[in-house]
């Protein structure tokens, strides 16, 4: 998907995830300029996905596998072959804007 051609289901998933799991960020994002909101919801949903790994796994190796999946998802997005996942699809839809942030997204995964 080209930047601007956004799957509304993926973005509504991102906004709903942020609203449910980080209401302060959700409300703050509503004050952002309209053309920046969807990108912010996408980044915050990405952050939630990688942060939740620690909460949902009981085996450290399983957590490492999940985080590796996210690293590979970023590589697949960059190759224009994103896996089917609503947050990944939203990141892919904004990749022209997010590509320069890839090292920071990978650093967030590593953290």
């Amino acid at each position: 998907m080209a930047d601007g051609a956004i799957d509304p289901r993926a973005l509504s998933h991102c906004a709903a995830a942020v609203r449910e799991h980080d209401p302060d960020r959700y409300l703050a994002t509503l004050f952002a300029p309209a053309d920046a909101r969807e990108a912010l919801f996408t980044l915050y949903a990405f952050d939630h996905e990688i942060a939740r790994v620690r909460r949902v796994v009981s085996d450290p190796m399983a957590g490492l596998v999940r985080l590796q999946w996210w690293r590979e998802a970023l590589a697949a997005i960059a190759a224009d072959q994103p896996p089917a996942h609503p947050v990944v699809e939203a990141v892919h839809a904004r990749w022209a804007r997010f590509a320069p942030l890839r090292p920071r997204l990978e650093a967030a995964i590593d953290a």
Side-chain angles (χ1 to χ4, degrees), residues 96-107:
R97 192 176 201 176
F98 291 164
L101 302 175
R102 184 175 176 184
R104 290 182 179 180
L105 297 173
E106 289 173 344

Side-chain angles (χ1 to χ4, degrees), residues 10 13-14 17 42 45-47 49 70 77 85-92:
H13 172 86
C14 291
T42 299
F46 174 83
D47 178 66
E49 287 290 333
W70 281 101
I77 290 168
H85 184 282
V87 175
V88 171
E89 291 169 3
V91 171
H92 181 248

Side-chain angles (χ1 to χ4, degrees), residues 12-98:
S12 63
H13 172 86
C14 291
V18 174
R19 183 178 60 230
E20 180 179 346
H21 300 289
D22 199 342
D24 291 337
R25 279 185 173 172
Y26 176 79
L27 292 173
T29 302
L30 297 179
F31 288 98
D35 62 342
R37 285 184 202 140
E38 300 300 348
L40 288 170
F41 282 137
T42 299
L43 288 173
Y44 292 151
F46 174 83
D47 178 66
H48 167 70
E49 287 290 333
I50 61 171
R52 74 186 279 268
V53 170
R54 172 177 265 165
R55 294 188 309 271
V56 300
V57 299
S58 56
D59 178 19
M61 185 58 73
L64 292 174
V65 169
R66 284 178 182 242
L67 293 173
Q68 182 60 34
W69 185 90
W70 281 101
R71 284 183 200 91
E72 292 171 6
L74 286 179
I77 290 168
D80 203 27
Q81 298 176 333
H85 184 282
V87 175
V88 171
E89 291 169 3
V91 171
H92 181 248
R94 291 278 184 198
W95 192 245
R97 192 176 201 176
F98 291 164

